[in-house]
Amino acid sequence: MKQEYILAQKNGRTIPLEDRIFGISNRAKAAIAKYGRDKVVNGTIGALMDDEGKLVVLESVDEVFHSLTAADYAEYAPIGGLAGFRGAVLKAAFGNHEPEGFKEAVATPGGTGSLRNTISNYSSPGDRVLTSDWHWAPYNTIAGEIGRSIDTFRLFDDNRKFNADSFAEKVKELLQKQDSLVIILNTPAHNPTGYSLTLADWDQVISVLTEEAKCGKPAVLLIDAAYIDFAGDEDEYREFFPKLSALPENVLPIVAYSLSKTYTLYGARCGAMICVAKTQEIADEFKRVCEYSSRGSWSNSAKVGQTILTKIYEDPQLLRKVDEERAGYREMLLARGRAFSRAADEAGLEIVPFDAGFFVSVPCDDPDAVSRKLEEENIFLVPLKLGLRVSVASVPEAQCEKLPAVIKKAME
Ligand SMILES: Cc1ncc(COP(=O)(O)O)c(C=O)c1O
């Protein structure tokens, strides 16, 4: 029998021969080369593309990039990040809604680094990390790489509302079984559904965690805010942050902030993990353990994105220019989402509750079969466990209007 691995160790992981999303994405690219862009729908890409299929790059950010000196990017950054960056990223993440508490920011390679360091420092090997049933698949990879796994609660109840009961049940169950718990909530503009927790949903989350934390065990609420600047008005979508201050001392909120989408710096690998602690000691410990983990995994994070953010926040006029430029592209993205959602209504296609962002999801029983069927018509989407993910970030508005009817037909 052929062995699954030649020299490598499996270590409890299932590693596919090909990354599924990249496989589909490659077939989409091949179809575009063969039939032309207007004959193919490539709804697989997790980056914002313009209507011509070109990556959107904020010119104002690119100008800063090109103004840098070699030392701005060639030199090592301190392990925890440049001092200027650590201050700037707090403003970037919280805007006008900085929660009260002891805050520390540690630089990470994108939001992914924040997820990794949070799981490694606030859970134990063998633990389950809680997130919603609809979730970004790499959470499983990140947890699995360090000997943890993902458990889920139902994101929506039968009335298509945030399922606080399922959330409470799973938090209770896992806190009974383990010594600590890491919870990941990706909001606003969740990947893959586009859902954003409302302020009322947030009240329920805080109330559940306050209640369940009475057992005294430590918990972390990781807010994966990767899409926060593509949900809608930046200020409005940050209104939930002050609510985090109401959590008890043994529940630590950590924000995973990413420059990938907000500053179109996907490849620069820049982000930060930010804690909102009840005491200085907890914040100091956060900084110490996260910097230590950084040292032992990727060492320093890349300096270039940190320098760029620092420069943007030093110059109010530049900051305004970047925000305005992003707002234009965000409007393009939001219009696509609205178009898809409206067309789904008209076609009688059920979609998962959607608010905004890069993705829309369509629940279905056999996502792989429907996805294969759609590929025959040169429509490339990502099949998930619970349905199909459509990246409106990479599909022009005109195609978003037509797509729901075609998906509906393929499902039938
Ligand atoms: C839900 C979610 N979280 C986090 C990330 C992290 O991205 P990065 O590591 O590029 O910041 C992504 C990127 O696609 C994402 O979709």
Side-chain angles (χ1 to χ4, degrees):
M1 196 176 91
K2 192 173 180 303
Q3 277 184 320
E4 199 177 352
Y5 294 95
I6 309 158
L7 299 179
Q9 302 304 311
K10 183 166 180 184
N11 293 337
R13 303 164 301 172
T14 305
I15 305 177
L17 291 173
E18 179 193 57
D19 182 287
R20 276 170 82 215
I21 300 189
F22 284 116
I24 299 170
S25 177
N26 286 339
R27 292 200 291 281
K29 282 182 201 151
I32 289 171
K34 191 165 169 191
Y35 303 109
R37 183 164 306 285
D38 54 325
K39 303 280 189 307
V40 177
V41 175
N42 185 1
T44 65
I45 306 173
L48 185 59
M49 313 301 261
D50 66 17
D51 287 350
E52 277 68 54
K54 249 183 68 216
L55 179 74
V56 168
V57 178
L58 296 179
E59 227 174 84
S60 48
V61 174
D62 199 39
E63 277 168 20
V64 182
F65 200 114
H66 285 284
S67 76
L68 300 180
T69 63
D72 284 334
Y73 52 83
E75 201 180 36
Y76 282 130
I79 295 277
L82 295 172
F85 171 75
R86 297 169 88 140
V89 79
L90 287 180
K91 293 186 200 147
F94 296 128
N96 296 322
H97 300 280
E98 190 165 324
E100 276 177 35
F102 296 86
K103 280 142 287 184
E104 278 291 347
V106 173
T108 54
T112 303
S114 311
L115 287 154
R116 192 257 172 220
N117 267 0
T118 299
I119 295 173
S120 75
N121 283 297
Y122 292 94
S123 67
S124 302
D127 275 359
R128 292 176 165 261
V129 170
L130 183 63
T131 193
S132 48
D133 49 0
W134 292 92
H135 62 262
W136 189 45
Y139 290 160
N140 296 276
T141 317
I142 298 166
E145 272 294 291
I146 46 177
R148 280 74 159 172
S149 59
I150 294 289
D151 203 343
T152 59
F153 67 94
R154 281 182 56 210
L155 182 54
F156 301 109
D157 63 18
D158 294 341
N159 299 316
R160 297 169 58 81
K161 299 278 184 235
F162 177 71
N163 198 332
D165 289 341
S166 178
F167 178 66
E169 202 177 296
K170 288 305 285 192
V171 171
K172 185 192 271 306
E173 178 196 319
L174 291 175
L175 273 174
Q176 273 168 2
K177 285 188 188 154
Q178 334 182 141
D179 293 336
S180 65
L181 177 62
V182 171
I183 301 160
I184 305 171
L185 293 181
N186 172 210
T187 185
H190 176 247
N191 175 4
T193 65
Y195 187 71
S196 304
L197 263 69
T198 63
L199 292 176
D201 296 341
W202 268 108
D203 288 338
Q204 290 184 300
V205 168
I206 304 290
S207 143
V208 166
L209 293 179
T210 304
E211 182 56 32
E212 298 306 330
K214 286 181 182 158
C215 68
K217 291 182 181 174
V220 158
L221 174 61
L222 183 126
I223 299 124
D224 179 353
Y227 298 94
I228 192 162
D229 290 306
F230 285 97
D233 180 75
E234 287 110 334
D235 199 47
E236 191 187 321
Y237 276 91
R238 282 171 165 77
E239 280 174 6
F240 71 92
F241 279 129
K243 291 181 184 289
L244 301 176
S245 307
L247 286 164
E249 189 174 317
N250 58 330
V251 181
L252 180 66
I254 297 176
V255 179
Y257 184 78
S258 167
L259 273 67
S260 300
K261 284 93 188 168
T262 295
Y263 294 92
T264 62
L265 285 170
Y266 308 87
R269 309 308 303 138
C270 188
M273 51 198 308
I274 304 168
C275 77
V276 184
K278 267 280 185 304
T279 67
Q280 186 66 55
E281 289 74 20
I282 293 172
D284 290 345
E285 177 190 75
F286 166 86
K287 181 168 174 285
R288 185 164 55 90
V289 299
C290 294
E291 289 187 357
Y292 185 86
S293 278
S294 299
R295 188 50 161 156
S297 40
W298 47 77
S299 189
N300 332 63
S301 293
K303 189 177 176 191
V304 66
Q306 298 180 44
T307 310
I308 292 172
L309 191 81
T310 309
K311 285 187 183 293
I312 291 172
Y313 272 82
E314 276 167 359
D315 179 348
Q317 221 178 327
L318 174 60
L319 175 61
R320 205 170 321 118
K321 196 169 148 195
V322 173
D323 284 345
E324 279 170 10
E325 194 186 354
R326 184 190 314 108
Y329 287 113
R330 182 173 59 227
E331 200 32 61
M332 172 186 82
L333 175 71
L334 295 176
R336 291 177 186 173
R338 285 192 295 265
F340 188 96
S341 177
R342 207 170 36 236
D345 259 2
E346 284 163 13
L349 176 76
E350 188 199 343
I351 62 171
V352 182
F354 168 81
D355 176 49
F358 280 36
F359 308 105
V360 179
S361 283
V362 179
C364 67
D365 292 333
D366 192 348
D368 285 309
V370 181
S371 160
R372 275 196 302 274
K373 182 127 194 61
L374 286 166
E375 275 198 31
E376 288 167 13
E377 300 186 48
N378 282 327
I379 295 169
F380 297 86
L381 308 178
V382 175
L384 308 168
K385 225 185 204 162
L386 300 174
L388 289 170
R389 187 188 81 173
V390 184
S391 166
V392 292
S394 63
V395 177
E397 188 176 339
Q399 287 185 337
C400 285
E401 282 168 355
K402 294 184 192 142
L403 206 44
V406 187
I407 298 176
K408 171 96 177 155
K409 202 162 143 243
M411 281 169 68
E412 283 162 1

